[in-house]
Amino acid sequence: MISYNEQERIFKLDTANTTYMIGIVDEENFVGHIYYGKKLKEADAAYLMRIDEPPFVPSLNNRERCSFYDCFPFEYPTAGVGDYREGCIGIRTAAGHVGCMLTYVSHEIMEGKPALSGLPATFGDAKECMTLKLVCEDHYVGLRVELLYTVFHEIDAITRSVKVTNIGADHIYLTKVYSACIDMDNRNFDMISLHGSWARERHIQRKAIGYGIQNVSSFRGESSHQDHPFLALVDKNTTQEHGEIYAMNFVYSGNFRAQAEVTQFDSVRMTMGIHPENFCWKLSSKESFQAPEVVMVYTDQGFDAMTTTFHKLYKNHLIRGEYKNKKRPILINNWEATYFEFDTEKLLSIAKEASKLGIEMLVMDDGWFGKRNSDNCALGDWKVNEEKIKGGLKYLVDEVNKLGMKFGIWFEPEMISPDSDLYREHPDWAIAIPGRPGTQARQQLVLDLSRQEVVDCIYEQVASVLRSANIEYVKWDMNRQLTDIGSSGLPADRQGEVYHRYMLAVYQMQERLTQEFPYLLLENCSGGGARFDPGMLYYSPQIWCSDDTDAIERLEIQEGTALIYPLSTMGAHVSDCPNHALKRVTPFETRGIVALAGTFGYELDVTRIPQEDREMIPSQVELYHKYNDLVREGDYYRLASYSQNRQFDCWQVVSEDKTQALVTFVQVLNRVNFKSRRILLKGLDENKQYQVEFVNENSIKTKIYHADTLMNGGLLIPYPQGDFQARLIFLTEVN
Ligand code: DGJ
């Protein structure tokens, strides 16, 4: 619900449990942030902007205008005329000046939500959401900025984006454009971010914020392993179940910055948007720039509530396509099974064995094209290597299909190897600074996707492979970050557009792919989980979570990922031991149980693993079929965190109608002479009783308990024997 109080000049944006309020003040129409938080009955809380205190508004005290600019809680702050905190927008006029101040011009309130041209974004119809468009201008520089706010009422989320238009006669350079800002009082907040590295993605980090600027960011050309386009400011006392959270998540897969600036007056400016590093977009007269979307979530009910909101929003209003609400085929991927050493015969031997065990799809990973026998060549040459794939791709796919399995394939479309036919033919197609040798990573360079002819050529190569056989899944990989930013297709004053044009092209290619092959299951991937973000989720319902498939390392990675993203999106596989990344040995059963929390599949040579592991696969497959609807669609709750307690991990999913629940418990290191663990369950219907079944613990009989006992008294999980032990506990309502 969005309303405008014309007399007081206040916009009130309400969701089921939150209110967001914006006010227009003074004769000059400054746009200020009044409030974001728990739902308010009050329609006029303008006093919260403190304009009745010194330095007052400019019409009353123009001699101290600068002080007003430097403390007013701007809804979309600018720079260069007196607000010394970091602004959301940076411009440079044709004459070289940077000052800017945006004031209110008009607004529109509409039902539903407009799409953002060329960008991934959440969507919803008139019944689900409502949008406010606030139009602001700076007529000195000829700039119009449209601030878009969409309220997802039931879901309790608000999304924001920004469109900038040059309404002047001369060109303007846009040097910064963030997508969201909340200017509020600091309440001694902690900040939550997701930090990582290759094979250690999205570990939850919590720390106090202090005066000055603290931020998380990426200017690696992708959302990255290292930092994540997510930031939450939370009360010191916020826990899983209680406390305030202001969270922002960026629906974008490229460079970003998320920041909290605590000021001299103890206010905090929380911002998120495209990283300004090497960003400079030339806007000729009448041209516009659409900045990506930020999702904002507020709750006073702790992390569980925040997570539920993000999960609901993404499941219903971001993820699209055939597999949105569908169980995904259990796949077996040959990467960790064979690396580059495979041929038709080897793949078919894996498929034959896998099909007998109930696995439903074979995915052929890196190494099937050009002269690609190692990771040092051939990216860009998307032609089947028939020396390896003897009989051709169609033959292989048909043979796999005959086994009753689907077939999937790997691509890395954004890359070019210096040792490739493509590079030999088009050396100028790599992103590069003329005259400077490009910095290689994994011996590859990045294609200059800011050039449409490059996009078209690569898209056609990929699509013609997909058209040549019955391919039902694509893993879209990206194995290096961007450096040496330069495009031979753009003039000097547009080189600062390359990063964003690159992202727009990736989105364009994935949109084309999903339009032409609507039945395709697309899984994004980036050297593991470096591009696991809402932008990519708009195109692919699942993303490879990490190259680290060790069941214990995965606990932290999956916990951090599930803090925002639904379990249905987390690519998770059972792999062989010793684990290839870590050399740790964990029980096959535990590897299976941890992978069941995600999309579930295998990444091993099923013809060579120990017989007792192989024999366990049919029962894991059965568990997947039995529980995946619940895992995919249910509400997720964190019951205990290994990342915090360093002993054990525990999470739960509960079906929407609360008739079923699944608890997963993982004991990491065993402790001698210890008692069972008491775990308090969540989300059950407290008036009901549930039958509790220890799925993989034969000696324990099923028992019936009242939900309130399970949630307040808890469930005792018998002390597992040995390290790295996992338990699955299934609950069904009995009355
Ligand atoms: C990185 C991915 O994360 C792996 O799963 C695998 O596909 C390799 N790339 C292949 O090069």
Side-chain angles (χ1 to χ4, degrees), residues 335 365-366 410 442 475 477 479 525 527-528 544 547 603:
W335 178 241
D365 210 280
D366 194 355
W410 176 99
R442 212 192 193 205
K475 177 174 171 188
D477 203 350
N479 281 302
C525 169
W544 184 228
D547 275 347
E603 179 134 356

Side-chain angles (χ1 to χ4, degrees), residues 275-338:
H275 201 300
E277 173 81 22
N278 202 357
F279 173 84
C280 183
W281 197 277
K282 183 176 181 183
L283 282 178
S284 299
S285 179
K286 309 283 177 298
E287 274 181 0
S288 295
F289 180 87
Q290 176 63 60
E293 173 169 282
V294 166
V295 174
M296 301 193 306
V297 172
Y298 166 84
T299 178
D300 63 345
Q301 306 285 310
F303 294 110
D304 282 337
M306 178 198 79
T307 296
T308 304
T309 302
F310 277 117
H311 284 199
K312 287 217 158 90
L313 184 74
Y314 293 162
K315 276 188 210 168
N316 299 303
H317 301 282
L318 181 69
I319 296 166
R320 304 174 297 165
E322 170 93 5
Y323 281 95
K324 179 181 163 93
N325 298 316
K326 255 204 201 159
K327 194 149 60 146
R328 322 282 157 74
I330 301 176
L331 65 81
I332 184 159
N333 177 303
N334 75 309
W335 178 241
E336 287 197 16
T338 64

Side-chain angles (χ1 to χ4, degrees), residues 529-633:
R531 221 165 43 182
F532 200 123
D533 57 60
M536 299 323 285
L537 280 183
Y538 185 68
Y539 304 94
S540 66
Q542 60 191 58
I543 302 176
W544 184 228
C545 205
S546 176
D547 275 347
D548 198 329
T549 49
D550 172 72
I552 303 306
E553 284 296 308
R554 272 285 176 137
L555 298 176
E556 284 190 78
I557 297 169
Q558 294 185 180
E559 180 188 356
T561 307
L563 186 69
I564 322 173
Y565 306 106
L567 302 190
S568 62
T569 65
M570 296 197 312
H573 297 168
V574 179
S575 63
D576 202 3
C577 272
N579 178 268
H580 290 199
L582 208 68
K583 304 289 173 237
R584 182 185 281 140
V585 177
T586 54
F588 197 75
E589 182 181 46
T590 300
R591 284 174 260 158
I593 287 177
V594 172
L596 280 173
T599 56
F600 196 73
Y602 293 86
E603 179 134 356
L604 40 71
D605 186 346
V606 71
T607 65
R608 295 170 67 169
I609 57 171
Q611 181 62 11
E612 74 244 43
D613 290 357
R614 198 168 23 245
E615 281 169 6
M616 234 182 267
I617 292 180
S619 60
Q620 291 180 337
V621 165
E622 206 182 310
L623 292 178
Y624 172 78
H625 288 304
K626 184 160 178 207
Y627 299 125
N628 184 257
D629 284 348
L630 177 56
V631 170
R632 226 181 45 248
E633 302 294 335

Side-chain angles (χ1 to χ4, degrees), residues 168-196:
D170 223 335
H171 65 269
I172 291 175
Y173 295 98
L174 193 58
T175 54
K176 183 204 284 179
V177 55
Y178 289 166
S179 297
C181 169
I182 312 175
D183 220 331
M184 56 187 168
D185 285 3
N186 183 20
R187 283 169 244 165
N188 205 12
F189 284 128
D190 278 350
M191 111 181 204
I192 307 287
S193 59
L194 299 172
H195 189 77

Side-chain angles (χ1 to χ4, degrees), residues 332 334 344-363 396-397 399-401 403-407 604-607:
I332 184 159
N334 75 309
T344 299
E345 205 183 321
K346 179 70 206 167
L347 292 175
L348 286 178
S349 73
I350 291 177
K352 266 180 206 140
E353 191 59 39
S355 67
K356 285 190 230 150
L357 301 167
I359 296 172
E360 299 160 315
M361 178 160 74
L362 175 78
V363 175
L396 171 63
V397 177
E399 288 303 300
V400 170
N401 287 167
L403 294 167
M405 292 175 87
K406 295 179 190 295
F407 185 88
L604 40 71
D605 186 346
V606 71
T607 65

